[in-house]
Amino acid sequence: MNSAPVLHETYGQRLWRHFCADSFARCSLGIVIALFVIAALAPFLANSHAIVRVADGHVTFPIFLSLEPIEWRFLLYVLLAALIYFSRRKFRTQPQRSLGVVFVYIVLVELWLGFSHPFNDPTNDRDRPASFKLLPPVAYSPIETTPDQFVPPTWKHPCGTDSTGRDIAARMLHGARISLSIGFVSQSISLLVGITLGGLAGYYRGWLDIGVSRFVEIIECFPSLLLILVVINFTGSQNNMFCIMAVIGLTSWTGVTRLVRGEFLRLSGQPFTLAAQAVGASDFRVIVRHLLPNALGPILVVATFGVASAILIESSLSFLGFGMQAPTPSWGDILSESRRYIDFAWWLAFFPGLAMLVTIMSYNFVGEGLRDAVDPRLRVK
């Protein structure tokens, strides 16, 4: 990559140019995007229902009728993210109209999912006669049991099967959606709480700053995993993905709060902040339009590392029996089951462990690339 300075480039363009100069970060970002695409398409990659089925002259699409709301939600929101990326120029020129379209899209999706119900068909299309049928690459659902117990990796079961004959490849593909959803949503909750409290403490200072700082210190006195286990035990939120998202997000915001508070303390004395206050800008406008955009670089770095940490925490909870449990597919649950059969069923630990390793390392490399791009003092010449 050409590292020569480019004239008339924005801060985001300069950040992207320096980020792309890091080959590890660039490849890791591609892996993260690929994981989200695979998670969004998991029902079409591993399912016992056919994508297209032709029988008695009728063409049906059984797989679309069997999709759960969470599967539709993940697929449609990943599509929304792709549309936002490819239409990012309109977001710069017409931000209010673009945000309005996104809001209407989200409302319509949630209303449709609220009134629609999946068609639960217990049969599979593998053995159902048809003149033509197009099956997914892995023709098994993640919760379907078969007589093939503890089968090692074969062409029929690429990642083997577990103690009840469930296909590990299908559980891995669908478990990616669970792990990535929990990591992304929980970190979004953490960012919302951390930016709000840290921004208020850093901007207004005084007693508000003291109160927020002392509260952060109290929360940080408890080990994070122990605090999460206590909250999950008291709320009874085992095997509830949305509760686990909320618990992880509401117990991991302290680092973001401290970072945002420090950035706002540093930026509040800068000339552009004082100029905005001198012309009569409101506190909300100063925070949203001047302070927060200039603090986004370090926040993005912390958020990237936070997603990897949330995925690891969710896997740890499932491994300990407090997170997602069978038959719901989860990488941590597959690892937890492998403890009893590790002496002869090596694939139960290898494939989910490899997936977690690749995912967490990719997020960490992306975070390091962003950190080096944001702070020029850390950039290697």
Side-chain angles (χ1 to χ4, degrees):
M1 297 294 292
N2 184 13
S3 59
V6 180
L7 299 177
H8 308 297
E9 65 175 354
T10 63
Y11 175 73
Q13 292 172 339
R14 181 175 63 85
L15 193 69
W16 176 249
R17 178 166 57 85
H18 289 303
F19 176 82
C20 291
D22 188 342
S23 58
F24 280 105
R26 190 170 63 250
C27 294
S28 298
L29 180 61
I31 293 174
V32 170
I33 295 174
L35 286 172
F36 272 96
V37 173
I38 291 173
L41 298 178
F44 304 93
L45 298 176
N47 207 313
S48 60
H49 297 289
I51 301 175
V52 181
R53 183 173 180 270
V54 180
D56 300 329
H58 297 284
V59 180
T60 57
F61 304 92
I63 198 170
F64 290 96
L65 299 176
S66 63
L67 292 181
E68 297 288 339
I70 185 176
E71 295 173 334
W72 278 115
R73 188 174 285 111
F74 200 97
L75 178 63
L76 293 175
Y77 284 155
V78 169
L79 177 62
L80 175 62
L83 293 176
I84 291 175
Y85 174 78
F86 288 112
S87 60
R88 58 189 182 277
R89 292 186 178 178
K90 290 187 177 180
F91 273 83
R92 298 193 189 102
T93 57
Q94 300 174 339
Q96 295 180 348
R97 182 178 178 182
S98 301
L99 289 176
V101 172
V102 171
F103 178 77
V104 172
Y105 179 93
I106 294 175
V107 171
L108 292 177
V109 167
E110 294 300 328
L111 287 176
W112 176 62
L113 292 177
F115 289 101
S116 63
H117 300 283
F119 177 73
N120 295 321
D121 188 359
T123 61
N124 64 75
D125 291 321
R126 293 190 306 272
D127 304 321
R128 184 179 298 180
S131 57
F132 173 80
K133 56 184 175 182
L134 178 62
L135 294 172
V138 180
Y140 296 89
S141 72
I143 61 175
E144 179 184 2
T145 59
T146 65
D148 303 327
Q149 299 178 356
F150 294 119
V151 173
T154 59
W155 286 109
K156 184 179 179 181
H157 301 285
C159 297
T161 61
D162 61 7
S163 59
T164 58
R166 293 173 300 200
D167 188 87
I168 298 299
R171 294 182 63 78
M172 289 287 300
L173 291 170
H174 286 261
R177 185 182 64 247
I178 300 293
S179 298
L180 293 176
S181 298
I182 291 178
F184 186 79
V185 175
S186 62
Q187 188 58 27
S188 299
I189 297 173
S190 175
L191 286 176
L192 179 62
V193 177
I195 290 175
T196 301
L197 293 180
L200 293 176
Y203 183 76
Y204 290 107
R205 306 186 183 186
W207 288 106
L208 181 60
D209 183 18
I210 295 175
V212 171
S213 299
R214 299 294 83 77
F215 184 61
V216 168
E217 292 172 358
I218 292 174
I219 296 297
E220 289 186 338
C221 287
F222 302 95
S224 58
L225 186 59
L226 177 61
L227 182 62
I228 292 172
L229 290 175
V230 170
V231 174
I232 289 178
N233 187 44
F234 274 98
T235 57
S237 55
Q238 293 95 335
N239 209 31
N240 189 323
M241 187 175 70
F242 296 101
C243 290
I244 293 175
M245 289 176 181
V247 170
I248 295 177
L250 294 175
T251 54
S252 59
W253 52 267
T254 54
V256 180
T257 301
R258 296 172 73 96
L259 173 68
V260 174
R261 172 186 173 273
E263 289 295 313
F264 273 44
L265 287 175
R266 179 180 64 86
L267 295 171
S268 59
Q270 296 295 321
F272 64 88
T273 305
L274 300 177
Q277 294 172 342
V279 298
S282 63
D283 291 344
F284 180 79
R285 184 177 180 84
V286 171
I287 292 174
V288 175
R289 296 297 299 272
H290 298 282
L291 294 180
L292 186 57
N294 286 279
L296 275 182
I299 292 174
L300 287 176
V301 175
V302 172
T304 306
F305 286 114
V307 173
S309 177
I311 293 174
L312 186 60
I313 290 174
E314 183 276 329
S315 300
S316 301
L317 292 175
S318 299
F319 184 82
L320 295 173
F322 289 90
M324 306 304 296
Q325 300 299 309
T328 304
S330 171
W331 292 347
D333 180 64
I334 301 174
L335 273 177
S336 178
E337 185 183 8
S338 68
R339 291 179 298 174
R340 291 172 289 179
Y341 314 110
I342 191 64
D343 54 341
F344 62 91
W346 56 267
W347 55 90
L348 292 178
F350 176 77
F351 290 108
L354 180 62
M356 291 175 56
L357 175 66
V358 171
T359 302
I360 294 174
M361 285 188 63
S362 298
Y363 271 106
N364 286 337
F365 278 129
V366 171
E368 290 180 1
L370 284 174
R371 182 191 61 189
D372 295 343
V374 168
D375 192 348
R377 294 172 297 179
L378 299 176
R379 197 176 302 132
V380 178
K381 299 295 183 182

